[in-house]
Amino acid sequence: TNNPGEVLVSNGIVQVPVVYTYLLSANGCQSQQTVTVQIRPTPAINNQALSTCSNTSFTFAPSNVPSNTLYTWGIPVYNPGGTITGGTAQTVGSANINQTLVNQTINTSVASYTITPVAGTCQGTPFTLAVSVQPIPVVTDQTLNNVCSGSPFNFASATAPIGTTYTWRNPLISPFNSLTGGSAQSVGQTTISQILSSTNNVVNTAAYVVTPSFNGCIGNDFTLTIPVNPTPAINNLVDTICTGSSISITPTNTPANTRYTWTNPLVVPFGAITGSGAQVIPSGNIFQTLINTTNNPARLVYTVTPSAGVCSGSPFTVTVHVGSTLSAIGNQSAEICSGVAFNATPLNAPPGTTYTWSLPTVTPANSISGISNAVFQQNAISEILQNN
């Protein structure tokens, strides 16, 4: 052949010598010549992709390339358009691709670079580097609407990227030890949620220092403040009244402005008491006028729901014992011997009836000793009288 030319392709990343031995012939005369061809590698890089956080510098250098490979590139293309800033072209060969991109949205955006690699004088085929720029969650300090003691609160910022997770420290409680249920969370959660319970009857607050994170991009801490309204917690109550009397019960140790509603009470025996009913409009106390229509004690049981503002407590019961009407008792008389106890207790009085009396009148005056009045309830009308 008159032109012993070939196209050589290096499969490696270092320079390779290729030795040819030529046999030259001209006019019947021959000679042998050795020629060494140095094959320099040309960079061959596949399309690449990486992820970085907004406003955080990234550095990328392809692997398995010839030593001293340098790179140039044009202005990156953004998808969606206009969502990223910070990308610039590089016309002077650089040992790596290094830039700081800022994502101006709350969604992931992509900057695509077309990069040309050069090793010495050997220029490789351009490749694409797609840089996914993750947004950094930015959440301002927040104060939630008041929640009720014992009820859960939930918060996830509407301005943070969808999928943002949160970690937080132990909350600061004010007043100190006025709330229970608050704790730290070191594992990322999609919402900030806990159940706080008051230990008093006033509004308390819990302040959480929260760290937001999205796809490994950590935002600045923000403070989440939770005001907690008290919820009434009242034990069951018992009262006793006479028939025709009114109950007026105001439980103690409750939040200010606690109000009460109740359903129709349970009457035992059925129908024995009138005047009771349900209360659907919240009232500042538990009140009604009750009449026992029988001759025996009766009772009714109210199921009462307390509320303080919008916070409703657990229902409790109020049991009211209503005494019966005491039948009229006629005048009594007795005749006894001096020094002997008399008992003038009426025989037709209901069981459990008690009595008081004033100092009796003695005729003739001062002729009888042993008399007294009874200020405190007595089970029987009895004394020992002495005729003087």
Side-chain angles (χ1 to χ4, degrees), residues 234-235 237-239 246-260 262 283-288 304 306 316 318 320:
I234 302 172
N235 294 327
L237 301 174
V238 178
D239 196 8
S246 298
I247 59 169
S248 181
I249 300 172
T250 303
T252 60
N253 194 28
T254 59
N257 299 317
T258 296
R259 296 289 184 266
Y260 308 90
W262 56 87
S283 168
N285 59 8
I286 302 151
F287 68 94
Q288 287 191 330
V304 184
F316 64 97
V318 175
V320 181

Side-chain angles (χ1 to χ4, degrees), residues 241-245 267-276 289-300 320-326:
I241 63 170
C242 296
T243 182
S245 300
V267 178
V268 182
F270 179 78
I273 297 174
T274 62
S276 64
T289 299
L290 305 175
I291 298 174
N292 187 341
T293 60
T294 71
N295 293 323
N296 298 300
R299 62 184 170 88
L300 39 70
V320 181
H321 297 273
V322 182
S324 60
T325 301
L326 188 63

Side-chain angles (χ1 to χ4, degrees), residues 76 81 136 203 238 251 280 299 324 352 357:
I136 293 178
V203 177
V238 178
V280 296
R299 62 184 170 88
S324 60
W357 59 85

Side-chain angles (χ1 to χ4, degrees), residues 3 22 60 82 105 130 136 140 143 146 194 243 257 270 285 309 318 334 341 343 346 356-357 365:
N3 182 15
Y22 292 103
F60 178 74
T105 72
I136 293 178
T140 59
T143 298
N146 291 33
Q194 291 196 317
T243 182
N257 299 317
F270 179 78
N285 59 8
V318 175
N343 188 337
T356 60
W357 59 85

Side-chain angles (χ1 to χ4, degrees), residues 342-346 353-357 374 377-383:
F342 76 89
N343 188 337
T345 304
T353 301
T354 59
Y355 308 90
T356 60
W357 59 85
Q377 301 289 332
Q378 303 294 315
N379 294 324
I381 306 171
S382 177
E383 289 194 305

